[in-house]
Amino acid sequence: MDLYRVEDRRLLTGHGTFLDDLSTVPNVHHAAILRSPYPHARIRNIDASKALAMEGVDAVLTGRDVAKMSRPFASALPRQAAYYSLAVDKARFVGEPIAVVVAKDRYLAEDALALIDVDYEQLPAVVDPEQAVIDPDAPILHEDVGTNVALHRTLRYGDPEEAFRQADVVVKRRLRFPKYGSTPLETFGVVAAWNAAEDTLTIWSNFHGPFSMHPVVAQALGIPSNKLRFIVPGDIGGGFGIKTSIYPYLALIGLASRFSGVPVKWIEDRQENLMASSSGTDRVSEVELAAANDGTILGVRMKIYDNVGGYFRPPEPGCTFRPLGNYVGGYSFRNLDVDAYIVFTNKSLTGPNRGYGCPHLYFGLERVVDEMAHKLGLDPAEVRRRNLIPKAAFPYRTPTGGLYDAGDYEACLDTLLETADYEGLRRMQADARQHGRLVGIGFAFGVDPSVSNMGYVDIAATPEERKRRRPKSGATQGTTIQVDDLGKVTVEISTTPQGQSHETMVRRHIAQELGIPEVDITVISGMDTATRSWTIPSGSYSSRFASIGISSAVVTARKVLEKLGRIAAHQLEADPSDVEYVDGNFRVKGAPERSLAFRHAAGIAHWDPASLPPGTDPGIYVTHFHTMPTALPPDDEDRVNSSNTYGFMADLCLVEVDRETGEVEVKKYWGVHDSGVILDHKIAEGQIQGSFVHGLGGAMYEEMAYDEDGAFLTGTFMDYLCPTFLEVPPLETRYVETPSPFTVLGSKGIGESATETVPACIANAVTDALRPLGIEVNELPVTPTKVWNWLQQAQSEA
Amino acid sequence: MKPAAFGYLTPRTREEAIEVLSRYAGDAKVLAGGQSLVPLLNFRLTSFRYLVDINRIPDLDYIRSEQGYLAIGALARHRSVEQSAEAARECPLLPEALQFVGHPVIRQRGTVCGSIAHADPSAELPALLTALGGSVVLEGSSGRRVADAEEYFLGYLMTAQQPDELLVEARFPKLPNGSGFAFEELARRHGDFAIVGVACAALPDGSVRLGVCGANSVPFRPLKAETAAAQGDLQEAGRLAAADSDPDSDLHATAEYRRAMVSKLVERAVRHALERKEGNARG
Amino acid sequence: MAEMRTGHLEDALFEAREIACTVNGKLYRAMAEPRRLLSDFIREDLDLKGTHVGCEHGVCGACTILFNGQPARSCLMFAVQADGAEIVTVEGLARSPQQLTRLQESFSQEHALQCGYCTPGMLISATALLSENPSPTDSEVRHAMAGQLCRCTGYEQIVRAVLAAADSDGKGGEGGNHA
């Protein structure tokens, strides 16, 4: 029986190759990491002598060694707030790596951790990003910066002052968005082997890109980039952006190997993962919206405090600026003011996490849109309709520089209202309210950016600062196809997938392009930077595959076919323009008897270069790097097309709140997606369902929680609450398919979509449910305790 | 997350188990299902010099109907009890409460006696044992004794069990024919430890028994609430149970919330139990 | 530690010992010290990499195996406890990678796996469910599988796959070959 995906057979039978399954090099030793128990502490001294005396222990690496052997990681904050792979002078969050033990096995390495004596001087901690900035007594994390503001940018588009002057109505809300992460089931894993004879460092890991982190690690380690080799296995156990931030450990375990003289393996355990891996930022914000009486949005102001934790590491401040091009969502307002602080606090570090910046953005924007509709006594669906960018306006340039490729937003809204029977829901709600039940209906709309433009990161700098640097741009992805002498095809992809079915999709589309059976194609995933084609943006992140990944594969296949066509034409003594390709055969138009099979054309390239047309190289080995011409650097007005394709989702959900217990039940959720041409509905559905549950987690269950003194409270999967089979409400999805003019197949990313709007949608629905009591949900997650407290408060005020 | 080293013993009889427990008293821990103990060992939140694995003792895996109570042996797994015909017949509140203990795979390995000996105040089974006035049988070097639930649970993860004692059996009083019962629980997710849980049995003689978890350092019976419940005053029962509770705040729930939920869940559990009792009487 | 050492017998309690167990129908013998987790023993000492480790505290379920016919978290057991046991891991479910069980096939057809990391535990857990209850309802599947975390799929497709592999005519679902 044929399986649905080419990946499935190995994964279903226990024959996948994940990082911890690899045989790498002989004599691999094992690392365990000592981590700070304190949120903020000076490290006076580390005495590892007892650990070193233990049988089976090879070495103990401390911050002092790391500071000698490496440089701080490069970031947008040059020469400040140095971030090394181990704490050097201070620990700045619970779980920060303090020392590494290398031992014969992991059990012994963990035994040795207990024997390391660290003399800490505890310091006061701060965890709230706003307080870290405005409270004059807040402890300063990085003395050389002198403030907890890592970065501050004010961005202004259109004429926001005028918009607010003209407004009939202004609503303003303070919002808190929590810190959470996608916690892939496979944690970080690294094997590093320093080869002293050749001065090379080979690192196996489940890193999923972008490979811009390769030069970052090479620079930190002070080794030539061509002496640093990254190898990634074909299977990665989930990533969701989180595994981008493995790179500090690539450096750390690389140093541990160099220091100890043996190859070293480190598998992050779940406790380490929860306290110190990576997560999205928590955000405190004030969002203010100006509107006319008919609900037309005139302008928006946002004040943002994004919490990057103890250090600032690339690709931050992506949390703030990755969605810059789509800051206006699906709406046509032109006036925007952004006052963004990226802040240090004593929490763990952040990085890309599914939706990167978008759940935060839409939580703010969609909350105030709803409050504006409420204030004007308008229906939230109608207010949104009034502001949607019309279909005829595409490609649409947003005030922040985004270039929306295509979309039919109003069709999405219509489909949503019809599918969910919106009027029926409102009648049902009215009836339920009559009976004292707290039933709510919420909306959230969002524009889903895919394929990040490498240029957006430069928004961290001012236009003046940018003028002194070389610009960044592009969104490149490469594919290599080789056809052997028997016409069998091997494809190397550089997308380092983590479950997104890239092998299946690439095989299917290359088979179509080459006109050969899928079984004749083998797709190789994973990566080896020393032997395979890659470039800075390679990898899987920002939902790149369905836009740039598949475009790259298809164009590469077309180049292969073009070369084979030339070879065939020469063989058939015809002009290439007279040769057509039908059913796996090149043949002369009008003379089908003059034909050459695909595999014979390939055979000539390998066995008989003498028969090749003049100027044609032997062999069939084609690498094509595909980029987007729309990925340009920011302009002088801070406008940037931060992504390259933009999907759209219109969400609606129905909730009920238990008055007695404060429990929220999401009874049903509807989502309509316009992500261009859907390449495979079953796989797209899987992506949406998965991203829906991540959004649900952030809205209701998951939080990396700290007490106000910086103690970390969610170090186990008993406290960090991932939704299970029983927490997932029914989701109904529909598609509007407006082809993207910017991609080869008209498709675009969809993997992050729902996760961006679900938190806002649930917050709006619970607010709607509690509207009769005057309660608004302006912070997440919505837990029973919180809701119950709000209910008590409302009762005592009533 | 690898456990610290320990010495491993596999007694083949209870006598042998008690002998090694007394030999290493204080340094040894019994390993039965391991579903609570091994996570703590893996996190190195606790460690013991010796683990005494009782899984190879043959005569501890039983569920027996005795005079007035259901006897659950030290190796009877949650899942066996959940599916046992005796339990369904003699003490149906027990299988009902077991639905709330972890997840099926955890219940497949975890033991009823292990949950009781672990004495987590948020756990369901200690509250049930307390509600029903059940007991445990302890065997040690100085012999065999029976301890009532209320004297057994002393505090957070603390019991009256001596280091040389083995909990060999838990005794759940049978529910007489015509009883009604209910287990109500509030948790962040299904299968999590309770924020608050309430076990309730409405007996044919008109009395009501309650046990509460998650609202005190030990599972407890709110006696005044039981009286009010027996008189049919559900709200008062809830109020009195809440007044008797002394919960802590944590990440998942504040103390005020827990106390309020004791009240609501007692009300719900009593109502549900009384409804079922009535249904039984009619049926 | 020295003061605790009261002799060879005492030392022996801490030492590695030979474990003999049957995994997927084949007898294995390997040494393990008492603290060695069964999950590590299966993966590292028996070199069966199909069983995955996701949390090492029994919550995620990725490491679930059949232990004497019953599903169990291999991260919450010690290798020494497996002496004499019969174990089935994901590698033992299909006769060969070319002859999958009905459950494995429906996992693929329903797209019930994305990255595949949780899949071994899902399959073991669902196999155990179907052998006990060949025609479960939607709700029974969810309750039985709730101890298995998946971060990719959002679960719906897994429920569909288990239901698709179940026997709607009540003849009994297909378990593993060794189950």
Side-chain angles (χ1 to χ4, degrees):
Chain A
M1 183 174 185
D2 275 353
L3 296 183
Y4 196 72
R5 303 190 311 165
V6 67
E7 294 90 342
D8 287 348
R9 195 174 300 277
R10 65 173 189 261
L11 296 173
L12 286 164
T13 55
H15 294 94
T17 47
F18 295 90
L19 188 277
D20 195 21
D21 305 339
L22 298 177
S23 295
T24 50
V25 282
N27 194 33
V28 173
H29 288 228
H30 296 264
I33 300 175
L34 183 72
R35 292 172 183 276
S36 173
Y38 304 116
H40 199 186
R42 198 166 302 286
I43 301 165
R44 288 206 193 101
N45 186 45
I46 300 177
D47 177 1
S49 54
K50 276 182 275 176
L52 282 166
M54 216 183 96
E55 201 181 313
V57 171
D58 304 297
V60 177
L61 184 76
T62 68
R64 194 171 299 173
D65 307 312
V66 163
K68 264 187 245 159
M69 295 169 71
S70 67
R71 297 196 281 255
F73 294 103
S75 84
L77 311 178
R79 295 178 299 282
Q80 276 190 315
Y83 172 47
Y84 288 94
S85 55
L86 279 183
V88 174
D89 54 341
K90 287 209 298 187
R92 293 179 173 87
F93 62 95
V94 170
E96 181 172 359
I98 301 293
V100 180
V101 171
V102 177
K104 210 173 64 185
D105 70 40
R106 177 66 177 249
Y107 288 75
L108 291 172
E110 291 193 19
D111 291 346
L113 292 184
L115 301 179
I116 301 174
D117 290 322
V118 184
D119 182 8
Y120 290 104
E121 176 193 345
Q122 288 191 61
L123 301 169
V126 62
V127 292
D128 181 284
E130 187 183 32
Q131 204 191 340
V133 176
I134 65 171
D135 180 353
D137 296 330
I140 298 292
L141 272 79
H142 294 274
E143 285 82 357
D144 61 339
V145 181
T147 154
N148 291 323
V149 179
L151 206 72
H152 178 215
R153 289 241 47 209
T154 52
L155 306 168
R156 193 174 167 279
Y157 306 95
D159 191 347
E161 294 79 10
E162 182 60 21
F164 276 82
R165 259 197 303 277
Q166 286 189 0
D168 297 319
V169 61
V170 171
V171 292
K172 180 175 178 178
R173 290 293 182 275
R174 271 182 70 77
L175 301 147
R176 301 187 77 90
F177 194 85
K179 178 182 178 76
Y180 61 91
S182 295
T183 59
L185 265 203
E186 180 203 37
T187 54
F188 289 168
V190 184
V191 182
W194 178 267
N195 183 328
E198 299 186 337
D199 264 1
T200 57
L201 176 60
T202 304
I203 302 178
W204 292 260
S205 75
N206 44 19
F207 172 61
H208 62 53
F211 282 79
S212 53
M213 296 311 170
H214 182 276
V216 169
V217 172
Q219 282 171 357
L221 295 177
I223 58 176
S225 49
N226 61 348
K227 301 288 184 188
L228 173 67
R229 181 177 184 181
F230 282 4
I231 298 176
V232 177
D235 291 309
I236 297 179
F240 319 110
I242 293 294
K243 284 173 180 160
T244 288
S245 301
I246 193 176
Y247 69 88
Y249 293 107
L250 304 187
L252 180 60
I253 304 305
L255 289 170
S257 174
R258 188 174 194 170
F259 189 74
S260 63
V262 288
V264 177
K265 179 177 193 170
W266 170 72
I267 302 294
E268 181 190 53
D269 66 36
R270 187 54 66 182
Q271 193 174 20
E272 298 180 285
N273 170 267
L274 288 168
M275 68 164 76
S277 186
S278 187
S279 72
T281 57
D282 51 312
R283 170 179 292 187
V284 174
S285 62
E286 273 178 12
V287 184
E288 195 174 3
L289 179 144
N293 271 330
D294 66 353
T296 303
I297 304 170
L298 303 176
V300 170
R301 285 191 188 126
M302 301 179 188
K303 186 168 194 177
I304 293 169
Y305 296 94
D306 266 339
N307 187 352
V308 295
Y311 299 86
F312 180 96
R313 65 179 180 189
E316 299 294 19
C319 56
T320 323
F321 299 128
R322 182 253 184 170
L324 187 58
N326 54 288
Y327 256 40
V328 295
Y331 305 128
S332 48
F333 66 93
R334 306 292 305 174
N335 305 305
L336 177 71
D337 187 280
V338 179
D339 187 9
Y341 293 83
I342 290 93
V343 182
F344 297 118
T345 75
N346 299 107
K347 285 192 180 181
S348 66
L349 310 188
T350 62
N353 182 49
R354 205 169 196 167
Y356 203 20
C358 291
H360 308 63
L361 171 69
Y362 298 130
F363 179 59
L365 191 59
E366 291 297 285
R367 279 294 302 118
V368 293
V369 167
D370 256 31
E371 292 308 321
M372 178 264 283
H374 175 67
K375 194 163 180 176
L376 291 172
L378 299 172
D379 184 281
E382 281 316 301
V383 162
R384 286 181 169 81
R385 182 189 300 281
R386 211 157 284 175
N387 288 285
L388 288 178
I389 298 162
K391 187 181 181 188
F394 291 92
Y396 178 81
R397 181 69 73 178
T398 69
T400 49
L403 182 62
Y404 291 177
D405 46 335
D408 189 345
Y409 298 176
E410 195 160 4
C412 291
L413 171 57
D414 289 337
T415 307
L416 180 70
L417 298 183
E418 190 189 314
T419 307
D421 181 19
Y422 180 54
E423 286 176 20
L425 288 179
R426 283 292 181 203
R427 281 195 299 275
M428 189 272 273
Q429 180 187 35
D431 184 58
R433 278 188 179 161
Q434 293 264 307
H435 293 88
R437 287 166 56 198
L438 301 173
V439 170
I441 297 162
F443 287 94
F445 289 7
V447 166
D448 176 23
S450 50
V451 195
S452 283
N453 167 7
M454 281 287 141
Y456 86 74
V457 292
D458 280 343
I459 287 289
T462 62
E464 293 69 43
E465 290 165 334
R466 285 200 294 272
K467 279 182 193 136
R468 296 193 290 272
R469 301 183 189 169
R470 286 178 191 281
K472 295 186 183 72
S473 70
T476 317
Q477 190 77 338
T479 306
T480 296
I481 299 179
Q482 49 172 317
V483 186
D484 69 21
D485 62 310
L486 297 174
K488 304 293 186 199
V489 174
T490 303
V491 183
E492 292 173 15
I493 53 175
S494 57
T495 56
T496 50
Q498 320 113 51
Q500 303 98 325
S501 321
H502 295 178
E503 293 171 36
T504 297
M505 299 309 298
V506 165
R507 190 173 82 145
R508 185 185 300 168
H509 285 280
I510 288 183
Q512 279 168 18
E513 292 293 331
L514 297 182
I516 57 172
E518 286 190 28
V519 292
D520 285 356
I521 300 172
T522 297
V523 180
I524 308 292
S525 55
M527 177 48 72
D528 181 339
T529 56
T531 61
R532 290 175 51 179
S533 54
W534 63 280
T535 179
I536 286 298
S538 293
S540 270
Y541 56 95
S542 75
S543 305
R544 322 181 74 237
F545 179 77
S547 299
I548 193 79
I550 198 72
S551 293
S552 155
V554 166
V555 174
T556 311
R558 288 176 185 170
K559 287 190 166 182
V560 166
L561 205 59
E562 194 266 334
K563 179 171 182 178
L564 288 169
R566 275 188 283 119
I567 293 170
H570 189 67
Q571 191 74 18
L572 298 169
E573 296 176 344
D575 189 86
S577 62
D578 290 333
V579 172
E580 58 185 3
Y581 184 62
V582 181
D583 296 337
N585 291 292
F586 296 95
R587 62 188 197 194
V588 180
K589 286 176 192 165
E593 72 287 355
R594 288 170 62 199
S595 80
L596 187 72
F598 177 88
R599 68 187 174 96
H600 291 136
I604 290 168
H606 291 282
W607 283 105
D608 187 16
S611 294
L612 292 173
T616 301
D617 294 333
I620 304 288
Y621 188 90
V622 176
T623 297
H624 167 70
F625 286 101
H626 199 76
T627 191
M628 305 286 278
T630 49
L632 299 173
D635 69 11
D636 290 346
E637 309 289 316
D638 283 320
R639 287 178 297 220
V640 67
N641 185 29
S642 47
S643 298
N644 289 279
T645 51
Y646 297 85
F648 181 74
M649 53 266 160
D651 291 11
L652 168 59
C653 76
L654 176 71
V655 304
E656 180 159 7
V657 177
D658 184 322
R659 215 181 256 281
E660 293 186 334
T661 63
E663 290 170 293
V664 171
E665 184 194 0
V666 178
K667 299 174 94 75
K668 177 108 195 232
Y669 201 102
W670 294 266
V672 181
H673 294 252
D674 186 349
S675 297
V677 173
I678 299 294
L679 297 176
D680 181 299
H681 279 87
K682 198 176 273 194
I683 289 169
E685 191 76 19
Q687 290 295 315
I688 293 174
Q689 178 72 35
S691 66
F692 166 62
V693 175
H694 280 187
L696 178 80
M700 297 179 62
Y701 300 101
E702 299 179 33
E703 183 178 15
M704 279 145 184
Y706 292 78
D707 72 13
E708 56 189 25
D709 298 322
F712 182 59
L713 305 177
T714 48
T716 77
F717 265 166
M718 309 289 280
D719 296 305
Y720 187 85
L721 307 178
C722 306
T724 77
F725 275 89
L726 293 166
E727 276 70 49
V728 178
L731 167 71
E732 191 173 342
T733 47
R734 288 285 185 279
Y735 301 90
V736 170
E737 299 188 35
T738 313
S740 172
F742 297 167
T743 62
V744 174
L745 301 179
S747 53
K748 43 190 163 182
I750 202 167
E752 298 172 88
S753 59
T755 206
E756 299 166 5
T757 36
V758 173
C761 192
I762 290 177
N764 279 342
V766 176
T767 300
D768 188 52
L770 301 176
R771 192 68 87 186
L773 303 165
I775 297 168
E776 291 179 16
V777 178
N778 293 324
E779 65 171 276
L780 297 175
V782 203
T783 63
T785 304
K786 267 186 210 165
V787 174
W788 183 82
N789 281 338
W790 297 333
L791 289 165
Q792 298 311 299
Q793 244 174 323
Q795 230 162 37
S796 67
E797 282 163 18
Chain B
M1 282 177 55
K2 311 296 182 190
F6 56 81
Y8 178 68
L9 296 120
T10 49
R12 303 296 165 138
T13 63
R14 331 162 167 218
E15 292 71 27
E16 215 184 302
I18 290 157
E19 195 270 318
V20 296
L21 282 174
S22 35
R23 189 191 320 154
Y24 301 119
D27 285 332
K29 180 78 175 174
V30 172
L31 173 65
Q35 305 297 288
S36 301
L37 175 63
V38 181
L40 295 176
L41 295 172
N42 290 0
F43 277 115
R44 299 201 187 204
L45 288 172
T46 186
S47 67
F48 296 93
R49 187 150 173 82
Y50 304 96
L51 286 194
V52 180
D53 183 351
I54 61 169
N55 283 283
R56 291 174 198 270
I57 302 176
D59 56 350
L60 288 175
D61 183 4
Y62 60 84
I63 304 163
R64 275 199 297 261
S65 176
E66 300 286 352
Q67 190 69 39
Y69 63 88
L70 196 66
I72 310 288
L75 282 178
R77 314 284 162 175
H78 293 129
R79 194 93 175 121
S80 326
V81 178
E82 192 181 336
Q83 294 172 330
S84 123
E86 280 97 340
R89 196 173 55 237
E90 312 283 9
C91 188
L93 181 49
L94 180 55
E96 177 151 316
L98 280 164
Q99 309 290 317
F100 293 93
V101 179
H103 295 291
V105 175
I106 297 293
R107 298 203 291 274
Q108 200 80 58
R109 183 90 198 145
T111 63
V112 166
C113 288
S115 286
I116 290 168
H118 189 57
D120 190 310
S122 299
E124 295 82 2
L125 296 183
L128 176 60
L129 194 73
T130 305
L132 297 181
S135 57
V136 295
V137 180
L138 302 166
E139 281 183 17
S141 44
S142 52
R144 180 178 168 100
R145 66 185 177 117
V146 178
D148 288 344
E150 279 175 281
E151 57 180 304
Y152 181 69
F153 300 112
L154 295 182
Y156 179 75
L157 308 187
M158 270 173 49
T159 68
Q161 193 169 334
Q162 296 303 306
D164 70 331
E165 284 182 318
L166 180 66
L167 196 170
V168 294
E169 182 178 297
R171 294 177 170 177
F172 289 87
K174 293 181 180 177
L175 288 178
N177 283 336
S179 301
F181 58 90
F183 198 95
E184 296 285 338
E185 177 166 313
L186 190 75
R188 287 292 302 279
R189 298 173 304 179
H190 292 263
D192 284 340
F193 275 108
I195 290 176
V196 169
V198 174
C200 178
L203 303 176
D205 65 4
S207 64
V208 172
R209 303 194 71 117
L210 287 164
V212 180
C213 61
N216 219 326
S217 61
V218 287
F220 73 103
R221 260 182 81 187
L223 294 173
K224 283 177 265 177
E226 288 184 352
T227 309
Q231 290 160 358
D233 192 343
L234 274 51
Q235 277 199 332
E236 182 64 2
R239 200 188 61 75
L240 289 167
D244 271 358
S245 57
D246 184 19
D248 288 328
S249 290
D250 66 14
L251 174 67
H252 301 301
T254 60
E256 298 71 40
Y257 180 69
R258 281 203 160 86
R259 194 174 287 117
M261 290 310 103
V262 168
S263 172
K264 291 297 166 202
L265 264 58
V266 162
E267 254 185 82
R268 288 181 184 184
V270 174
R271 183 177 305 120
H272 193 181
L274 289 175
E275 279 166 10
R276 275 180 168 171
K277 185 183 161 193
E278 220 169 279
N280 283 345
R282 274 203 304 273
Chain C
M1 271 198 176
E3 73 280 6
M4 303 297 286
R5 288 197 178 145
T6 51
H8 284 304
L9 272 178
E10 183 69 24
D11 281 352
L13 298 177
F14 292 83
E15 280 166 8
R17 74 251 356 236
E18 190 183 73
I19 308 302
C21 58
T22 305
V23 183
N24 304 327
K26 182 179 163 193
L27 182 67
Y28 287 82
R29 288 176 194 281
M31 300 295 284
E33 62 167 332
R35 64 162 158 174
R36 190 145 185 90
L37 296 174
L38 181 55
S39 46
D40 287 340
F41 182 74
I42 290 170
R43 287 182 50 80
E44 306 301 326
D45 302 320
L46 307 187
D47 214 19
L48 293 165
K49 306 291 194 190
T51 299
H52 295 158
V53 172
C55 76
E56 290 182 307
H57 56 290
V59 182
C60 82
C63 69
T64 305
I65 57 166
L66 292 179
F67 186 86
N68 292 332
Q70 302 295 341
R73 305 285 203 237
S74 59
C75 75
L76 297 188
M77 294 187 69
F78 300 106
V80 287
Q81 295 184 276
D83 194 28
E86 293 246 1
I87 289 171
V88 178
T89 66
V90 66
E91 290 96 332
L93 293 178
R95 273 181 197 86
S96 78
Q98 305 312 318
Q99 292 172 281
L100 302 185
T101 65
R102 197 158 109 194
L103 181 70
Q104 287 168 318
E105 281 179 355
S106 67
F107 259 62
S108 177
Q109 294 308 325
E110 298 295 333
H111 191 34
L113 68 157
Q114 291 181 23
C115 80
Y117 199 79
C118 73
T119 308
M122 291 287 175
L123 289 170
I124 293 284
S125 191
T127 298
L129 165 68
L130 292 178
S131 68
E132 190 180 292
N133 179 0
S135 325
T137 62
D138 181 285
S139 163
E140 284 170 341
V141 171
R142 284 173 204 273
H143 277 90
M145 305 284 289
Q148 312 289 130
L149 293 181
C150 171
R151 296 298 271 163
C152 294
T153 63
Y155 305 111
E156 287 306 305
Q157 290 84 343
I158 298 176
V159 176
R160 269 181 240 157
V162 177
L163 289 173
D167 236 352
S168 51
D169 56 7
K171 278 190 215 146
E174 183 177 346
N177 297 327
H178 307 282

